[in-house]
Structure formats: C-alpha cells, structure tokens
Amino acid sequence: MYAFTGLAPGSYGINEALKTGWAQTVPVSGVYTETMTSGLNIEDRIFGNYQYSTISGDVYHDVNSNGVRDIGEPGLGNWKVRLTGGKTDSVLTLASGSYTFTSVPPGNFTITEVTQVGYILTAPESGYQEATVTSGQTITDKSFANYKFGAIAGVVYRDRNGNGIRDVGETPLENWKISITGPRVDSVLSDANGNYIFLFLYAGTYTVGEELLENWYESYPQSGTYSVAITSGVNAFAKDFGNYELSTARGIVFNDLNGNGTRDNGESGVENWKIRIAGSKEDSVLSDVDGNYFFQKLPSGSFTISQDIQSNWVQTKPISPETYSFSATSEQLVGFDFGNYHFGSIGGIVF
C-alpha cells in the first residue's frame, strides 16, 4: 500500500522506481497521470511487477551415447541454444558447455539446440526442452546430450607371400564381404581398391570379420576378427584383412626321346611316375595317363618338387639340381616338368 496525502489541486504523475531484475506489467504506460481538484480522493492506482527468471543447462558430449551425462563426459563449447515462447533469444554455450538465458518473463518456453554437423542428439528424446516460468524462478538442468558417430574401415588385400603384412605390389581384393556384429549388424563389400567402411556407428563393441572364399586362407589378423570399441567420434581405421589363395603346383613327366631336356613334338607323357613335394606341405602323387601331375591347395611357403626315377631311366630335366625349389605365393604355379629317357640297347649276332 502507498498513499500521497495533502495534495493541492493540480496535475500529478505517479510512477514507481523499478528494482534491478524486475519488470512492470501495470500500468502499461508505466505511469499514472492525474488531475487533482479540491477534496478529490483517487484510489486503486496499482503497480504490478514480476521478477525476471533464468533458464540454464548444459550441452555435453555423450561419449557412450546412453543419453545420460556420465562422469568425465565433457561439455561442448560454442554450441547455439535457442529460446522461443514469450521471449525469443539465443546464446552460445561456454567452453564448459553451460548456457543461461536471463531476463526471462513468465510464460511457456521451448528450448532447442542447433546440432552441429557430424553429431546426433541423444537426449532429450523429444529433441527439445520445455519450461513453464513464473516470477522469480531459477530453472536449471535443461540439458542436451550429443553423440558423434564413429566409423570402422580397412582394406582387403592379396597377401601373396602370406606373411600378414601388405608388401609393395600386393593388390587389393574386390567384392569381399566384411561383416560387423554388435550394437549394429551389417555387411559391406570391398570396393575396387579393396576398401570397406562402416559409417554412423553408435557406441559399443563391434566384432569385424570377413567371409573367406573357397581355397583362400586368411593371414591377417591372426585371430581372424577384430574387436573394436567405438565411442563418440572414434574412427577405427586400418582394420585390414590379408588373404592368400591356395596354390596349385603342376607339371608333366615326359619321355625325352632325344635326351635334350626339352619336350619336343611327339614326346608323350609317362604314366605312374611318383612326384614328391616337400616343405610347408609334404605329399606325393602319381602322374596320370598323359603324364600330368598336380599338387593342389598349397599354402604360402617354400617347397621342393622331385621325382622317383624308375629303373633304367635317366633324368634330363631339370638337370642340375634334379629338383625344383620355389616359394608358393597366392597364385597358381606351373611349369615344373620332368624329362626322362629310357636306356636303349643295340644287339645282334656275331657269326
């Protein structure tokens, strides 16, 4: 209540001195103008005021994408937050990720963030916060959680020597299926350069593996798969897969009629000669009816191929040494031929 007494006739203006942090609602003009005459009493010259409120919160990095601010999850500075309703405003978060709207009048408000490129909002689920403001309130915890997608990528390549390292000249493998399991189950095919990538990954632990093709071995990684922990913004690159194809060593055993160490026209193959392979794989086979022999599904490694020479035969190819030594790589091996001639005889009659 207030009262001014002892007023002489005349014109008067009545207004209030506002306190810091308050706003006047009545009268709209902010002042009453009155004309006093003798004995006049004027009442109900009311002043209405409200105290400004504040709305605050945080924008933070939701590293594990669970929508809750866990210990150690940092704020995101310089993110724009907007206020709409009885007042429209926007502010940038501080380095700590905090923001505050001041001088907020009573009313219903919506608070939103401007999500930056590469991030996704994980909380609140609605994508916005709401606040009903009355005079003099301090409203807090209107926060926003954000997660930055992760990625897993690598190269699939032909590991020709099977050493688990991509050496110079080892070529990419196209159209190999790479799969992930975990928070997301998915698969992709390697491109023409052997590259594969999984984008837009949420936080969690993923298992990355490849689908081996028939007659191929995996040289890298040794475990066969990768276990990859993804958190916000983590890009797990260089998850490579090295593979080598099982090789085939082949050749022919032939009857070297002229003994020159070369298979000339008309020199046929020799059947049922035993050919042996030693090294990373031990085996033996017999030449077929045309003299052909094969050693299939050879892993990468060093080998020696030799023959069991039959009685009364002489080996002409290879001549020195009498074996083939080679390193199997991820490809077919050919040309390991064996030439042999059979001792002849000349006879007749002396009379």
Side-chain angles (χ1 to χ4, degrees):
M1 297 288 293
Y2 71 91
F4 295 101
T5 60
L7 298 179
S11 295
Y12 294 86
I14 306 106
N15 62 283
E16 64 178 359
L18 277 173
K19 292 186 176 181
T20 301
W22 289 77
Q24 188 180 79
T25 58
V26 178
V28 175
S29 65
V31 63
Y32 291 104
T33 301
E34 305 293 345
T35 300
M36 297 298 296
T37 57
S38 176
L40 180 63
N41 294 315
I42 301 175
E43 299 179 350
D44 296 329
R45 296 301 183 256
I46 299 171
F47 291 89
N49 302 276
Y50 66 84
Q51 188 175 11
Y52 284 119
S53 298
T54 61
I55 299 174
S56 63
D58 294 283
V59 178
Y60 66 92
H61 196 166
D62 187 11
V63 174
N64 58 8
S65 73
N66 67 349
V68 177
R69 190 170 194 180
D70 301 301
I71 294 174
E73 291 186 331
L76 293 171
N78 208 39
W79 280 52
K80 181 176 284 188
V81 182
R82 289 175 172 158
L83 180 73
T84 57
K87 175 182 179 179
T88 300
D89 199 0
S90 65
V91 294
L92 294 176
T93 58
L94 302 178
S96 64
S98 65
Y99 74 89
T100 302
F101 290 104
T102 59
S103 302
V104 179
N108 296 317
F109 293 88
T110 299
I111 307 103
T112 57
E113 70 166 16
V114 179
T115 307
Q116 294 192 13
V117 175
Y119 287 83
I120 185 172
L121 182 70
T122 58
E125 291 185 2
S126 63
Y128 57 87
Q129 297 279 12
E130 293 181 316
T132 299
V133 178
T134 58
S135 178
Q137 278 190 295
T138 299
I139 298 175
T140 58
D141 296 328
K142 298 300 181 182
S143 297
F144 297 89
N146 296 275
Y147 172 80
K148 192 172 187 179
F149 284 121
I152 298 174
V155 175
V156 186
Y157 65 94
R158 180 190 290 268
D159 187 10
R160 297 188 65 223
N161 56 12
N163 67 350
I165 299 170
R166 190 177 188 187
D167 301 304
V168 175
E170 290 185 333
T171 55
L173 293 172
E174 185 179 4
N175 287 329
W176 278 58
K177 181 182 284 188
I178 309 298
S179 301
I180 58 169
T181 57
R184 175 171 140 201
V185 177
D186 200 359
S187 65
V188 295
L189 295 177
S190 58
D191 65 17
N193 296 313
N195 296 311
Y196 75 89
I197 190 167
F198 295 97
L199 298 170
F200 307 114
L201 297 180
Y202 283 99
T205 300
Y206 295 82
T207 298
V208 188
E210 67 176 350
E211 184 178 299
L212 277 173
L213 300 182
E214 186 177 359
N215 293 330
W216 287 76
Y217 277 15
E218 185 177 70
S219 61
Y220 190 81
Q222 291 183 353
S223 63
T225 60
Y226 292 99
S227 181
V228 182
I230 294 293
T231 55
S232 185
V234 169
N235 294 321
F237 295 151
K239 301 303 178 185
D240 299 341
F241 292 91
N243 302 284
Y244 63 91
E245 190 174 9
L246 296 179
S247 299
T248 297
R250 58 174 296 188
I252 189 168
V253 184
F254 66 93
N255 190 349
D256 188 7
L257 297 174
N258 58 11
N260 67 350
T262 302
R263 188 182 184 193
D264 301 308
N265 289 335
E267 294 182 334
S268 61
V270 181
E271 184 180 6
N272 287 329
W273 276 58
K274 181 173 283 188
I275 309 297
R276 300 179 184 273
I277 190 167
S280 300
K281 178 179 179 179
E282 306 284 336
D283 199 2
S284 65
V285 294
L286 294 177
S287 59
D288 65 18
V289 67
D290 295 314
N292 297 305
Y293 73 88
F294 301 87
F295 292 105
Q296 297 177 313
K297 297 185 178 180
L298 297 179
S300 294
S302 297
F303 295 90
T304 299
I305 293 183
S306 62
Q307 68 171 349
D308 287 358
I309 301 176
Q310 297 186 17
S311 177
N312 293 321
W313 287 78
V314 175
Q315 180 173 315
T316 60
K317 180 178 182 176
I319 193 63
S320 180
E322 296 180 344
T323 61
Y324 290 101
S325 295
F326 63 94
S327 294
T329 58
S330 182
E331 58 191 29
Q332 189 179 50
L333 304 165
V334 296
F336 300 118
D337 296 344
F338 290 92
N340 303 277
Y341 71 84
H342 192 277
F343 284 127
S345 64
I346 300 175
I349 298 173
V350 180
F351 65 94

